[in-house]
Amino acid sequence: MRIDLHTHSTASDGTDTPAELVANAAAAGLDVVALTDHDTVGGHRQAIDALPDGLTLVTGAELSCRVDGVGMHLLAYLFDPADAELERARELVRDDRVPRAREMVRKLRALDVPVTWEQVARIAGDGSVGRPHVAAALVELGVVPTVSDAFTPDWLGNGGRAYAEKHEFDPFEAVRLVKAAGGVAVLAHPGAVKRGAVVPESTIAALAEAGLDGVEVDHMDHDEPTRARLRGLARELGLLTTGSSDYHGTRKTVELGAFTTDPEIYGEITRRATGAFPVPGAGGPGHR
């Protein structure tokens, strides 16, 4: 089985519609794919309706968090999407996305970058606007060659010249909410230092005590020493380890299935979840 537990669609900052994403996941030879758009479950229905034979969908979201001034992301899997408390918290984050993006545009224009809000809004379309859409505008303008190159201190990286803060989850509260909604919580790309500051191992240990289920280890932004260190930390803390592409369509160069999760780990994630079940396409492996 090939299992990719971190992807994005046009419901947030990917370039594939949810229907296109599941079709592309099947074409890439995946057996299981998780749709984890930023702070939203808006793409789940379309993905389920378009789910091809032989592909299982794991519903989820990537929650924007911040602790001690450091931004971080939490992958939430198979939670109850109707859970009122978690939905209210996600809505607070989503509501702050437009003012934040506008502030980044203002800062960029102060740096003599001719970006406009209309350009960013066009790129975002119906998705939940975020930094990658502003980054894509910088690519369109020829300011940076790729979206990833915009996530630096020179531009949109954490604390960068055009960075703007937004309302974000406290990660400990996020873990509590996800678990209360029957979900499974995995820390996304915790060693992605090229994006900016990352949380220390002591914070990961504290999150593990608070109920964190796992850490994403095999990821495009982790080099081999980082992966080895995270695997050792996960063993020490009793955390699951996952692998994922963090696919964003054409907005990033990584392909679906570039990194995958061990089937036994996936099985444990589905066993722990009580808020929702994986959705199998006709003939697909449901595992529940």
Side-chain angles (χ1 to χ4, degrees):
M1 288 181 64
R2 299 188 67 231
I3 302 159
D4 188 340
L5 292 182
H6 186 172
T7 72
H8 298 274
S9 76
T10 52
S12 64
D13 57 345
T15 59
D16 293 357
T17 66
E20 290 169 341
L21 187 141
V22 293
N24 289 336
L30 291 176
D31 298 291
V32 179
V33 67
L35 179 55
T36 52
D37 281 312
H38 292 283
D39 306 302
T40 182
V41 298
H44 288 176
R45 185 71 261 165
Q46 187 186 141
I48 290 169
D49 289 344
L51 197 60
D53 291 357
L55 180 70
T56 292
L57 178 70
V58 172
T59 54
E62 186 173 12
L63 306 181
S64 304
C65 302
R66 181 166 294 271
V67 62
D68 297 329
V70 178
M72 55 187 291
H73 289 165
L74 188 75
L75 291 161
Y77 299 118
L78 299 173
F79 57 86
D80 178 2
D83 182 87
E85 192 176 10
L86 181 54
E87 167 54 24
R88 281 194 297 270
R90 285 187 284 116
E91 187 174 352
L92 286 173
V93 176
R94 290 197 303 272
D95 285 350
D96 205 32
R97 284 184 170 272
V98 170
R100 185 215 195 180
R102 285 186 177 274
E103 176 63 9
M104 287 188 284
V105 168
R106 185 195 69 77
K107 288 186 174 184
L108 286 166
R109 292 184 68 83
L111 294 169
D112 295 323
V113 177
V115 64
T116 65
W117 169 249
E118 290 74 18
Q119 180 188 14
V120 173
R122 170 182 56 78
I123 292 169
D126 294 330
S128 181
V129 67
R131 270 191 296 177
H133 300 120
V134 182
L138 295 182
V139 174
E140 283 190 353
L141 294 167
V143 176
V144 293
T146 70
V147 165
S148 295
D149 290 312
F151 284 78
T152 67
D154 283 341
W155 302 111
L156 306 176
N158 293 341
R161 295 187 299 167
Y163 177 79
E165 292 190 357
K166 70 176 186 295
H167 177 80
E168 293 170 300
F169 284 88
D170 172 272
F172 293 91
E173 177 68 358
V175 168
R176 184 191 71 78
L177 290 171
V178 170
K179 303 291 281 188
V184 175
V186 173
L187 186 58
H189 43 70
V193 293
K194 71 179 183 180
R195 301 184 181 209
V198 298
V199 295
E201 291 184 1
S202 58
T203 297
I204 299 175
L207 286 167
E209 290 185 5
L212 181 72
D213 292 282
V215 291
E216 188 178 52
V217 172
D218 292 313
H219 185 278
M220 65 179 296
D221 289 342
H222 291 166
D223 58 21
E224 287 301 331
T226 298
R227 294 177 197 178
R229 177 178 61 80
L230 288 171
R231 287 188 199 284
L233 180 65
R235 283 194 297 271
E236 179 183 329
L237 298 175
L239 295 173
L240 305 175
T241 58
T242 66
S244 313
S245 65
D246 198 356
Y247 175 78
H248 283 71
T250 59
R251 196 151 281 143
K252 290 186 178 182
T253 57
V254 68
E255 299 293 333
L256 282 161
F259 302 96
T260 57
T261 294
D262 184 281
E264 290 188 9
I265 298 293
Y266 168 65
E268 181 60 26
I269 289 172
T270 64
R271 282 190 290 273
R272 294 186 186 190
T274 60
F277 301 108
V279 182
H287 292 277
R288 288 293 291 264

